[in-house]
Amino acid sequence: MAAGKGVGKPASMWDNMRIRFIVCFLGVFVCYFYYGILQETITRGDYGQEKFKFARTLVLIQCIISAIFAKILIQFFEGSKPDHTKSWLYGLCSLSYLGAMVSSNSALQYVNYPTQVLGKSCKPIPVMILGVTILRKKYPLAKYLCVLLIVSGVALFLYKPNKSSAVADDHIFGFGEILLLVSLTLDGLTGVAQDHMRARFQTGANHMMLNINMWSTLVLGLAVLWTGEVWEFLSFTERHPSILYNILLFGLTSALGQTFIFMTVVYFGPLTCSIVTTTRKFFTILGSVILFGNVMSTMQWVGTILVFLGLGLDAKFGKGPKKTTH
């Protein structure tokens, strides 16, 4: 018996679930923490008298890198596994996906990174609303209570007391906040489309990542050529060549971060993944406050705590929607 045991295949470090969790957690944390720093560095950097205003080109580069990365993953890990999802579904999903990313990146020209991260943390709200109205999903009561906490936190964070309503820039919801609302709505539509693809065609994560990014690359490529933004961007990079290094890292950290998120879901489930990403978002805000000097008031800190309390409770108690029969 002892000899038989010795013949068995030796266990590797990767078979240890604790090691896997540490790798996944650090992968998500490091990639997206650095991703956030790079995003703010690029969009709100010091370029003399100029401002970075090429959100569509930035997202185009991000989509190209993500598509290449997904193709490599499929080639090495999935081989010839077929994908039966309709191409037009990928196309429609890419439009909402694109709009959400462009709006989110554009918002950084008007709001600081903590506001953008906190606003994007409200993604469960449009996903829930559109899931109920379009897909007719049913959610537990705990889910609604968690969303109420999130909405309350965002309201506190965005509220600006003692501001004159006569000045457009001092309105409670400025152009940056409107862009975030647009981004959230489109995020909800993207989530509904992805849920439909998974339920109807059992679409794999890597195939979804590849095809959505390929469609997005096509649409954005035509858009930046039509508007001439790509030529303005190239001219801008000639005057500020150091930005190219940050943009390349930005795309790589985005693609790699998505990979670690998928690994976390596969090995530990969506609950653990939600907890990891929620923790990452909170520390991203702290990092932005420390590194970029984004000052937050006491009310904004209370709002931040409410948002992440709601997200954390949602990860713990807000179980997935019940399946409905059609």
Side-chain angles (χ1 to χ4, degrees):
M1 294 294 293
K5 288 181 180 179
V7 174
K9 183 179 178 180
S12 65
M13 288 183 63
W14 188 243
D15 293 327
N16 187 319
M17 295 303 288
R18 184 173 296 178
I19 298 295
R20 285 187 183 183
F21 177 77
I22 292 173
V23 171
C24 290
F25 177 83
L26 290 178
V28 171
F29 184 88
V30 171
C31 287
Y32 279 104
F33 186 83
Y34 194 32
Y35 169 90
I37 293 173
L38 287 167
Q39 188 178 40
E40 188 158 13
T41 301
I42 293 168
T43 58
R44 296 173 66 88
D46 183 10
Y47 305 109
Q49 301 296 319
E50 295 183 278
K51 285 187 177 180
F52 185 89
K53 52 182 180 180
F54 311 104
R56 285 174 295 190
T57 306
L58 182 63
V59 175
L60 171 62
I61 295 171
Q62 182 180 346
C63 290
I64 292 172
I65 294 175
S66 294
I68 294 172
F69 202 83
K71 181 65 176 178
I72 293 172
L73 290 176
I74 293 172
Q75 191 70 31
F76 282 91
F77 298 105
E78 297 188 20
S80 58
K81 183 179 177 181
D83 178 29
H84 302 291
T85 310
K86 303 297 183 182
S87 295
W88 64 267
L89 272 176
Y90 282 131
L92 287 178
C93 189
S94 70
L95 292 177
S96 58
Y97 170 78
L98 266 182
M101 284 201 298
V102 171
S103 299
S104 177
N105 280 280
S106 298
L108 282 172
Q109 297 178 34
Y110 307 95
V111 300
N112 58 28
Y113 193 71
T115 302
Q116 192 241 37
V117 172
L118 195 68
K120 293 291 285 184
S121 295
C122 298
K123 185 177 177 179
I125 299 173
V127 171
M128 175 183 291
I129 293 173
L130 294 174
V132 170
T133 56
I134 297 178
L135 299 181
R136 297 184 179 180
K137 290 185 176 181
K138 296 181 180 179
Y139 295 94
L141 178 61
K143 176 73 75 173
Y144 294 97
L145 295 176
C146 293
V147 169
L148 180 61
L149 273 177
I150 294 170
V151 173
S152 301
V154 171
L156 282 176
F157 190 91
L158 296 179
Y159 178 65
K160 301 171 184 177
N162 302 323
K163 297 290 185 180
S164 171
S165 60
V167 182
D169 290 341
D170 288 338
H171 286 170
I172 293 175
F173 284 93
F175 190 60
E177 286 82 1
I178 292 174
L179 285 172
L180 286 177
L181 288 176
V182 171
S183 179
L184 285 171
T185 303
L186 293 173
D187 273 334
L189 291 172
T190 302
V192 168
Q194 290 174 333
D195 278 344
H196 177 71
M197 284 190 281
R198 289 192 184 100
R200 182 77 181 271
F201 302 102
Q202 291 77 49
T203 310
N206 290 328
H207 280 98
M208 188 176 295
M209 181 178 172
L210 170 64
N211 286 280
I212 289 178
N213 279 288
M214 285 180 63
W215 273 96
S216 299
T217 298
L218 174 62
V219 173
L220 267 183
L222 293 174
V224 297
L225 285 172
W226 176 263
T227 60
E229 180 181 309
V230 64
W231 312 119
E232 294 179 21
F233 170 78
L234 291 174
S235 179
F236 183 87
T237 57
E238 287 182 4
R239 295 190 297 273
H240 308 280
S242 60
I243 196 177
L244 290 173
Y245 178 72
N246 287 333
I247 291 176
L248 177 60
L249 286 180
F250 175 76
L252 288 174
T253 52
S254 173
L256 191 57
Q258 288 183 48
T259 302
F260 281 113
I261 283 181
F262 293 143
M263 286 173 59
T264 306
V265 171
V266 168
Y267 293 130
F268 303 101
L271 171 61
T272 302
C273 185
S274 296
I275 294 172
V276 169
T277 53
T278 299
T279 305
R280 189 275 306 172
K281 288 176 182 176
F282 183 76
F283 282 101
T284 297
I285 285 184
L286 288 181
S288 178
V289 170
I290 294 170
L291 295 175
F292 294 95
N294 290 313
V295 180
M296 292 172 62
S297 66
T298 302
M299 185 176 292
Q300 287 179 314
W301 277 115
V302 172
T304 300
I305 292 171
L306 285 179
V307 168
F308 288 108
L309 177 62
L311 287 170
L313 291 175
D314 178 62
K316 182 69 175 177
F317 301 108
K319 298 184 184 298
K322 298 176 183 178
K323 293 182 179 179
T324 57
T325 56
H326 298 280

mmCIF file of all heavy atoms in Angstrom, residues 25-62:
data_model
loop_
_atom_site.group_PDB
_atom_site.id
_atom_site.type_symbol
_atom_site.label_atom_id
_atom_site.label_comp_id
_atom_site.label_asym_id
_atom_site.label_seq_id
_atom_site.Cartn_x
_atom_site.Cartn_y
_atom_site.Cartn_z
ATOM 1 N N PHE A 25 -6.475 36.458 -6.022
ATOM 2 C CA PHE A 25 -6.719 37.719 -5.321
ATOM 3 C C PHE A 25 -5.658 38.754 -5.684
ATOM 4 O O PHE A 25 -5.969 39.898 -6.034
ATOM 5 C CB PHE A 25 -6.720 37.496 -3.811
ATOM 6 C CG PHE A 25 -6.893 38.768 -3.017
ATOM 7 C CD1 PHE A 25 -8.149 39.287 -2.789
ATOM 8 C CD2 PHE A 25 -5.793 39.451 -2.531
ATOM 9 C CE1 PHE A 25 -8.323 40.463 -2.073
ATOM 10 C CE2 PHE A 25 -5.942 40.635 -1.814
ATOM 11 C CZ PHE A 25 -7.212 41.140 -1.588
ATOM 12 N N LEU A 26 -4.385 38.342 -5.612
ATOM 13 C CA LEU A 26 -3.309 39.274 -5.944
ATOM 14 C C LEU A 26 -3.359 39.684 -7.415
ATOM 15 O O LEU A 26 -3.060 40.825 -7.761
ATOM 16 C CB LEU A 26 -1.948 38.643 -5.610
ATOM 17 C CG LEU A 26 -1.630 38.469 -4.120
ATOM 18 C CD1 LEU A 26 -0.282 37.786 -3.947
ATOM 19 C CD2 LEU A 26 -1.641 39.820 -3.410
ATOM 20 N N GLY A 27 -3.750 38.743 -8.285
ATOM 21 C CA GLY A 27 -3.859 39.059 -9.710
ATOM 22 C C GLY A 27 -4.897 40.137 -9.971
ATOM 23 O O GLY A 27 -4.628 41.125 -10.660
ATOM 24 N N VAL A 28 -6.103 39.954 -9.402
ATOM 25 C CA VAL A 28 -7.167 40.948 -9.564
ATOM 26 C C VAL A 28 -6.761 42.267 -8.932
ATOM 27 O O VAL A 28 -6.908 43.344 -9.522
ATOM 28 C CB VAL A 28 -8.484 40.434 -8.943
ATOM 29 C CG1 VAL A 28 -9.541 41.543 -8.916
ATOM 30 C CG2 VAL A 28 -9.010 39.238 -9.729
ATOM 31 N N PHE A 29 -6.251 42.191 -7.708
ATOM 32 C CA PHE A 29 -5.915 43.408 -6.954
ATOM 33 C C PHE A 29 -4.827 44.216 -7.661
ATOM 34 O O PHE A 29 -4.985 45.410 -7.900
ATOM 35 C CB PHE A 29 -5.461 43.036 -5.552
ATOM 36 C CG PHE A 29 -5.188 44.227 -4.668
ATOM 37 C CD1 PHE A 29 -6.197 44.792 -3.919
ATOM 38 C CD2 PHE A 29 -3.921 44.774 -4.605
ATOM 39 C CE1 PHE A 29 -5.946 45.895 -3.107
ATOM 40 C CE2 PHE A 29 -3.662 45.877 -3.808
ATOM 41 C CZ PHE A 29 -4.680 46.437 -3.057
ATOM 42 N N VAL A 30 -3.724 43.560 -8.004
ATOM 43 C CA VAL A 30 -2.587 44.265 -8.595
ATOM 44 C C VAL A 30 -2.944 44.817 -9.980
ATOM 45 O O VAL A 30 -2.676 45.980 -10.286
ATOM 46 C CB VAL A 30 -1.358 43.337 -8.688
ATOM 47 C CG1 VAL A 30 -0.243 43.994 -9.490
ATOM 48 C CG2 VAL A 30 -0.858 42.975 -7.297
ATOM 49 N N CYS A 31 -3.577 43.971 -10.826
ATOM 50 C CA CYS A 31 -3.896 44.402 -12.198
ATOM 51 C C CYS A 31 -4.835 45.598 -12.203
ATOM 52 O O CYS A 31 -4.578 46.608 -12.876
ATOM 53 C CB CYS A 31 -4.505 43.249 -12.987
ATOM 54 S SG CYS A 31 -3.321 41.962 -13.447
ATOM 55 N N TYR A 32 -5.924 45.522 -11.444
ATOM 56 C CA TYR A 32 -6.907 46.592 -11.498
ATOM 57 C C TYR A 32 -6.524 47.799 -10.650
ATOM 58 O O TYR A 32 -6.960 48.919 -10.929
ATOM 59 C CB TYR A 32 -8.292 46.070 -11.126
ATOM 60 C CG TYR A 32 -8.959 45.386 -12.297
ATOM 61 C CD1 TYR A 32 -9.038 43.996 -12.358
ATOM 62 C CD2 TYR A 32 -9.463 46.126 -13.351
ATOM 63 C CE1 TYR A 32 -9.628 43.367 -13.441
ATOM 64 C CE2 TYR A 32 -10.051 45.512 -14.443
ATOM 65 C CZ TYR A 32 -10.132 44.133 -14.483
ATOM 66 O OH TYR A 32 -10.700 43.505 -15.562
ATOM 67 N N PHE A 33 -5.729 47.580 -9.630
ATOM 68 C CA PHE A 33 -5.209 48.726 -8.873
ATOM 69 C C PHE A 33 -4.294 49.555 -9.777
ATOM 70 O O PHE A 33 -4.422 50.781 -9.862
ATOM 71 C CB PHE A 33 -4.442 48.241 -7.649
ATOM 72 C CG PHE A 33 -3.998 49.361 -6.742
ATOM 73 C CD1 PHE A 33 -4.852 49.909 -5.800
ATOM 74 C CD2 PHE A 33 -2.709 49.881 -6.833
ATOM 75 C CE1 PHE A 33 -4.444 50.939 -4.975
ATOM 76 C CE2 PHE A 33 -2.293 50.923 -6.017
ATOM 77 C CZ PHE A 33 -3.171 51.448 -5.079
ATOM 78 N N TYR A 34 -3.399 48.866 -10.481
ATOM 79 C CA TYR A 34 -2.499 49.555 -11.396
ATOM 80 C C TYR A 34 -3.265 50.110 -12.592
ATOM 81 O O TYR A 34 -2.961 51.198 -13.100
ATOM 82 C CB TYR A 34 -1.403 48.595 -11.854
ATOM 83 C CG TYR A 34 -0.224 49.267 -12.530
ATOM 84 C CD1 TYR A 34 0.182 50.544 -12.167
ATOM 85 C CD2 TYR A 34 0.483 48.616 -13.536
ATOM 86 C CE1 TYR A 34 1.255 51.166 -12.777
ATOM 87 C CE2 TYR A 34 1.569 49.225 -14.160
ATOM 88 C CZ TYR A 34 1.939 50.500 -13.774
ATOM 89 O OH TYR A 34 3.007 51.116 -14.384
ATOM 90 N N TYR A 35 -4.294 49.374 -13.046
ATOM 91 C CA TYR A 35 -5.154 49.828 -14.148
ATOM 92 C C TYR A 35 -5.791 51.173 -13.797
ATOM 93 O O TYR A 35 -5.811 52.100 -14.614
ATOM 94 C CB TYR A 35 -6.228 48.772 -14.394
ATOM 95 C CG TYR A 35 -7.353 49.183 -15.321
ATOM 96 C CD1 TYR A 35 -7.274 48.961 -16.686
ATOM 97 C CD2 TYR A 35 -8.524 49.758 -14.806
ATOM 98 C CE1 TYR A 35 -8.315 49.322 -17.529
ATOM 99 C CE2 TYR A 35 -9.569 50.122 -15.646
ATOM 100 C CZ TYR A 35 -9.460 49.898 -17.000
ATOM 101 O OH TYR A 35 -10.500 50.254 -17.823
ATOM 102 N N GLY A 36 -6.298 51.291 -12.573
ATOM 103 C CA GLY A 36 -6.924 52.534 -12.144
ATOM 104 C C GLY A 36 -5.944 53.692 -12.087
ATOM 105 O O GLY A 36 -6.261 54.815 -12.501
ATOM 106 N N ILE A 37 -4.754 53.412 -11.585
ATOM 107 C CA ILE A 37 -3.719 54.451 -11.521
ATOM 108 C C ILE A 37 -3.338 54.906 -12.927
ATOM 109 O O ILE A 37 -3.211 56.108 -13.209
ATOM 110 C CB ILE A 37 -2.480 53.935 -10.775
ATOM 111 C CG1 ILE A 37 -2.816 53.707 -9.291
ATOM 112 C CG2 ILE A 37 -1.310 54.910 -10.897
ATOM 113 C CD1 ILE A 37 -1.702 53.050 -8.506
ATOM 114 N N LEU A 38 -3.184 53.948 -13.851
ATOM 115 C CA LEU A 38 -2.834 54.282 -15.229
ATOM 116 C C LEU A 38 -3.952 55.069 -15.907
ATOM 117 O O LEU A 38 -3.692 56.018 -16.655
ATOM 118 C CB LEU A 38 -2.550 53.000 -16.024
ATOM 119 C CG LEU A 38 -1.236 52.280 -15.699
ATOM 120 C CD1 LEU A 38 -1.236 50.887 -16.310
ATOM 121 C CD2 LEU A 38 -0.043 53.089 -16.210
ATOM 122 N N GLN A 39 -5.208 54.686 -15.640
ATOM 123 C CA GLN A 39 -6.334 55.385 -16.254
ATOM 124 C C GLN A 39 -6.369 56.850 -15.844
ATOM 125 O O GLN A 39 -6.547 57.739 -16.676
ATOM 126 C CB GLN A 39 -7.647 54.701 -15.860
ATOM 127 C CG GLN A 39 -8.852 55.243 -16.600
ATOM 128 C CD GLN A 39 -10.127 54.507 -16.231
ATOM 129 O OE1 GLN A 39 -10.353 54.175 -15.068
ATOM 130 N NE2 GLN A 39 -10.961 54.232 -17.218
ATOM 131 N N GLU A 40 -6.150 57.118 -14.557
ATOM 132 C CA GLU A 40 -6.163 58.503 -14.103
ATOM 133 C C GLU A 40 -4.914 59.241 -14.575
ATOM 134 O O GLU A 40 -4.963 60.427 -14.904
ATOM 135 C CB GLU A 40 -6.270 58.567 -12.575
ATOM 136 C CG GLU A 40 -6.479 59.984 -12.063
ATOM 137 C CD GLU A 40 -7.096 60.034 -10.681
ATOM 138 O OE1 GLU A 40 -7.140 58.999 -10.010
ATOM 139 O OE2 GLU A 40 -7.530 61.125 -10.284
ATOM 140 N N THR A 41 -3.782 58.535 -14.616
ATOM 141 C CA THR A 41 -2.546 59.163 -15.109
ATOM 142 C C THR A 41 -2.689 59.606 -16.555
ATOM 143 O O THR A 41 -2.251 60.696 -16.938
ATOM 144 C CB THR A 41 -1.366 58.177 -14.981
ATOM 145 O OG1 THR A 41 -1.205 57.804 -13.615
ATOM 146 C CG2 THR A 41 -0.074 58.807 -15.471
ATOM 147 N N ILE A 42 -3.328 58.756 -17.390
ATOM 148 C CA ILE A 42 -3.485 59.056 -18.808
ATOM 149 C C ILE A 42 -4.497 60.173 -19.027
ATOM 150 O O ILE A 42 -4.229 61.150 -19.741
ATOM 151 C CB ILE A 42 -3.918 57.791 -19.578
ATOM 152 C CG1 ILE A 42 -2.786 56.748 -19.576
ATOM 153 C CG2 ILE A 42 -4.308 58.137 -21.018
ATOM 154 C CD1 ILE A 42 -3.231 55.375 -20.047
ATOM 155 N N THR A 43 -5.671 60.051 -18.406
ATOM 156 C CA THR A 43 -6.760 60.972 -18.717
ATOM 157 C C THR A 43 -6.660 62.306 -17.986
ATOM 158 O O THR A 43 -7.208 63.313 -18.443
ATOM 159 C CB THR A 43 -8.123 60.329 -18.386
ATOM 160 O OG1 THR A 43 -8.146 59.959 -16.996
ATOM 161 C CG2 THR A 43 -8.344 59.091 -19.242
ATOM 162 N N ARG A 44 -5.970 62.327 -16.836
ATOM 163 C CA ARG A 44 -5.885 63.557 -16.057
ATOM 164 C C ARG A 44 -4.434 63.992 -15.837
ATOM 165 O O ARG A 44 -4.129 64.735 -14.904
ATOM 166 C CB ARG A 44 -6.580 63.364 -14.704
ATOM 167 C CG ARG A 44 -8.074 63.115 -14.842
ATOM 168 C CD ARG A 44 -8.704 62.748 -13.499
ATOM 169 N NE ARG A 44 -8.651 63.845 -12.555
ATOM 170 C CZ ARG A 44 -9.584 64.787 -12.452
ATOM 171 N NH1 ARG A 44 -10.631 64.761 -13.265
ATOM 172 N NH2 ARG A 44 -9.489 65.742 -11.564
ATOM 173 N N GLY A 45 -3.547 63.523 -16.717
ATOM 174 C CA GLY A 45 -2.129 63.848 -16.594
ATOM 175 C C GLY A 45 -1.824 65.292 -16.943
ATOM 176 O O GLY A 45 -2.648 66.011 -17.503
ATOM 177 N N ASP A 46 -0.599 65.706 -16.631
ATOM 178 C CA ASP A 46 -0.153 67.070 -16.914
ATOM 179 C C ASP A 46 0.494 67.102 -18.296
ATOM 180 O O ASP A 46 1.581 66.571 -18.508
ATOM 181 C CB ASP A 46 0.850 67.511 -15.834
ATOM 182 C CG ASP A 46 1.308 68.953 -16.036
ATOM 183 O OD1 ASP A 46 0.711 69.645 -16.884
ATOM 184 O OD2 ASP A 46 2.270 69.375 -15.356
ATOM 185 N N TYR A 47 -0.191 67.736 -19.251
ATOM 186 C CA TYR A 47 0.313 67.852 -20.608
ATOM 187 C C TYR A 47 0.476 69.323 -21.002
ATOM 188 O O TYR A 47 0.207 69.706 -22.150
ATOM 189 C CB TYR A 47 -0.633 67.144 -21.594
ATOM 190 C CG TYR A 47 -0.902 65.707 -21.249
ATOM 191 C CD1 TYR A 47 -2.154 65.306 -20.763
ATOM 192 C CD2 TYR A 47 0.090 64.740 -21.389
ATOM 193 C CE1 TYR A 47 -2.408 63.990 -20.448
ATOM 194 C CE2 TYR A 47 -0.158 63.417 -21.068
ATOM 195 C CZ TYR A 47 -1.402 63.039 -20.595
ATOM 196 O OH TYR A 47 -1.655 61.724 -20.262
ATOM 197 N N GLY A 48 0.879 70.117 -20.027
ATOM 198 C CA GLY A 48 1.036 71.544 -20.289
ATOM 199 C C GLY A 48 -0.312 72.210 -20.448
ATOM 200 O O GLY A 48 -1.185 72.118 -19.591
ATOM 201 N N GLN A 49 -0.517 72.884 -21.575
ATOM 202 C CA GLN A 49 -1.779 73.564 -21.841
ATOM 203 C C GLN A 49 -2.816 72.637 -22.472
ATOM 204 O O GLN A 49 -3.958 73.031 -22.701
ATOM 205 C CB GLN A 49 -1.535 74.758 -22.775
ATOM 206 C CG GLN A 49 -0.568 75.797 -22.228
ATOM 207 C CD GLN A 49 -1.109 76.454 -20.968
ATOM 208 O OE1 GLN A 49 -2.286 76.755 -20.874
ATOM 209 N NE2 GLN A 49 -0.228 76.668 -19.988
ATOM 210 N N GLU A 50 -2.438 71.392 -22.736
ATOM 211 C CA GLU A 50 -3.337 70.455 -23.400
ATOM 212 C C GLU A 50 -4.005 69.517 -22.400
ATOM 213 O O GLU A 50 -3.523 69.317 -21.291
ATOM 214 C CB GLU A 50 -2.567 69.619 -24.427
ATOM 215 C CG GLU A 50 -1.998 70.406 -25.576
ATOM 216 C CD GLU A 50 -1.323 69.492 -26.585
ATOM 217 O OE1 GLU A 50 -0.161 69.112 -26.354
ATOM 218 O OE2 GLU A 50 -1.962 69.156 -27.600
ATOM 219 N N LYS A 51 -5.126 68.935 -22.853
ATOM 220 C CA LYS A 51 -5.821 67.907 -22.087
ATOM 221 C C LYS A 51 -5.978 66.661 -22.947
ATOM 222 O O LYS A 51 -6.095 66.750 -24.173
ATOM 223 C CB LYS A 51 -7.202 68.398 -21.650
ATOM 224 C CG LYS A 51 -7.185 69.403 -20.511
ATOM 225 C CD LYS A 51 -8.607 69.694 -20.046
ATOM 226 C CE LYS A 51 -8.603 70.646 -18.854
ATOM 227 N NZ LYS A 51 -9.993 70.924 -18.389
ATOM 228 N N PHE A 52 -5.947 65.509 -22.297
ATOM 229 C CA PHE A 52 -6.172 64.263 -23.027
ATOM 230 C C PHE A 52 -7.669 64.132 -23.297
ATOM 231 O O PHE A 52 -8.480 64.068 -22.376
ATOM 232 C CB PHE A 52 -5.680 63.067 -22.215
ATOM 233 C CG PHE A 52 -5.783 61.760 -22.954
ATOM 234 C CD1 PHE A 52 -4.742 61.325 -23.753
ATOM 235 C CD2 PHE A 52 -6.919 60.978 -22.846
ATOM 236 C CE1 PHE A 52 -4.839 60.120 -24.445
ATOM 237 C CE2 PHE A 52 -7.027 59.781 -23.538
ATOM 238 C CZ PHE A 52 -5.980 59.351 -24.335
ATOM 239 N N LYS A 53 -8.054 64.106 -24.561
ATOM 240 C CA LYS A 53 -9.467 64.043 -24.936
ATOM 241 C C LYS A 53 -9.705 62.986 -26.014
ATOM 242 O O LYS A 53 -10.476 63.201 -26.957
ATOM 243 C CB LYS A 53 -9.946 65.411 -25.418
ATOM 244 C CG LYS A 53 -9.062 66.030 -26.503
ATOM 245 C CD LYS A 53 -9.557 67.413 -26.904
ATOM 246 C CE LYS A 53 -8.668 68.016 -27.984
ATOM 247 N NZ LYS A 53 -9.118 69.367 -28.411
ATOM 248 N N PHE A 54 -9.039 61.863 -25.861
ATOM 249 C CA PHE A 54 -9.121 60.814 -26.881
ATOM 250 C C PHE A 54 -9.651 59.516 -26.269
ATOM 251 O O PHE A 54 -9.036 58.451 -26.388
ATOM 252 C CB PHE A 54 -7.749 60.582 -27.517
ATOM 253 C CG PHE A 54 -7.072 61.859 -27.951
ATOM 254 C CD1 PHE A 54 -6.035 62.402 -27.210
ATOM 255 C CD2 PHE A 54 -7.498 62.526 -29.091
ATOM 256 C CE1 PHE A 54 -5.413 63.577 -27.603
ATOM 257 C CE2 PHE A 54 -6.887 63.708 -29.490
ATOM 258 C CZ PHE A 54 -5.842 64.238 -28.745
ATOM 259 N N ALA A 55 -10.796 59.613 -25.605
ATOM 260 C CA ALA A 55 -11.369 58.460 -24.903
ATOM 261 C C ALA A 55 -11.646 57.307 -25.860
ATOM 262 O O ALA A 55 -11.394 56.140 -25.535
ATOM 263 C CB ALA A 55 -12.648 58.870 -24.182
ATOM 264 N N ARG A 56 -12.155 57.609 -27.062
ATOM 265 C CA ARG A 56 -12.483 56.543 -28.014
ATOM 266 C C ARG A 56 -11.235 55.813 -28.498
ATOM 267 O O ARG A 56 -11.229 54.580 -28.613
ATOM 268 C CB ARG A 56 -13.247 57.120 -29.202
ATOM 269 C CG ARG A 56 -14.697 57.460 -28.908
ATOM 270 C CD ARG A 56 -15.380 58.165 -30.049
ATOM 271 N NE ARG A 56 -14.785 59.481 -30.303
ATOM 272 C CZ ARG A 56 -15.317 60.380 -31.125
ATOM 273 N NH1 ARG A 56 -16.429 60.098 -31.782
ATOM 274 N NH2 ARG A 56 -14.735 61.548 -31.308
ATOM 275 N N THR A 57 -10.161 56.539 -28.753
ATOM 276 C CA THR A 57 -8.920 55.902 -29.188
ATOM 277 C C THR A 57 -8.313 55.072 -28.058
ATOM 278 O O THR A 57 -7.776 53.982 -28.298
ATOM 279 C CB THR A 57 -7.906 56.963 -29.658
ATOM 280 O OG1 THR A 57 -8.507 57.782 -30.661
ATOM 281 C CG2 THR A 57 -6.665 56.304 -30.235
ATOM 282 N N LEU A 58 -8.424 55.571 -26.837
ATOM 283 C CA LEU A 58 -7.911 54.823 -25.680
ATOM 284 C C LEU A 58 -8.653 53.502 -25.524
ATOM 285 O O LEU A 58 -8.041 52.448 -25.321
ATOM 286 C CB LEU A 58 -8.050 55.666 -24.417
ATOM 287 C CG LEU A 58 -7.526 55.043 -23.122
ATOM 288 C CD1 LEU A 58 -6.024 54.802 -23.214
ATOM 289 C CD2 LEU A 58 -7.853 55.931 -21.923
ATOM 290 N N VAL A 59 -9.976 53.543 -25.647
ATOM 291 C CA VAL A 59 -10.768 52.320 -25.540
ATOM 292 C C VAL A 59 -10.490 51.396 -26.729
ATOM 293 O O VAL A 59 -10.457 50.166 -26.578
ATOM 294 C CB VAL A 59 -12.272 52.658 -25.458
ATOM 295 C CG1 VAL A 59 -13.117 51.391 -25.478
ATOM 296 C CG2 VAL A 59 -12.564 53.450 -24.190
ATOM 297 N N LEU A 60 -10.247 51.962 -27.922
ATOM 298 C CA LEU A 60 -9.910 51.154 -29.097
ATOM 299 C C LEU A 60 -8.645 50.336 -28.840
ATOM 300 O O LEU A 60 -8.608 49.123 -29.112
ATOM 301 C CB LEU A 60 -9.705 52.066 -30.309
ATOM 302 C CG LEU A 60 -9.130 51.407 -31.576
ATOM 303 C CD1 LEU A 60 -10.066 50.331 -32.094
ATOM 304 C CD2 LEU A 60 -8.859 52.458 -32.655
ATOM 305 N N ILE A 61 -7.627 50.971 -28.318
ATOM 306 C CA ILE A 61 -6.374 50.258 -28.021
ATOM 307 C C ILE A 61 -6.615 49.177 -26.976
ATOM 308 O O ILE A 61 -6.102 48.051 -27.079
ATOM 309 C CB ILE A 61 -5.305 51.260 -27.543
ATOM 310 C CG1 ILE A 61 -4.959 52.231 -28.672
ATOM 311 C CG2 ILE A 61 -4.047 50.524 -27.071
ATOM 312 C CD1 ILE A 61 -4.081 53.390 -28.249
ATOM 313 N N GLN A 62 -7.423 49.499 -25.972
ATOM 314 C CA GLN A 62 -7.755 48.528 -24.934
ATOM 315 C C GLN A 62 -8.474 47.315 -25.531
ATOM 316 O O GLN A 62 -8.182 46.168 -25.170
ATOM 317 C CB GLN A 62 -8.638 49.198 -23.880
ATOM 318 C CG GLN A 62 -9.034 48.312 -22.710
ATOM 319 C CD GLN A 62 -9.912 49.060 -21.720
ATOM 320 O OE1 GLN A 62 -10.022 50.278 -21.748
ATOM 321 N NE2 GLN A 62 -10.544 48.321 -20.831
#
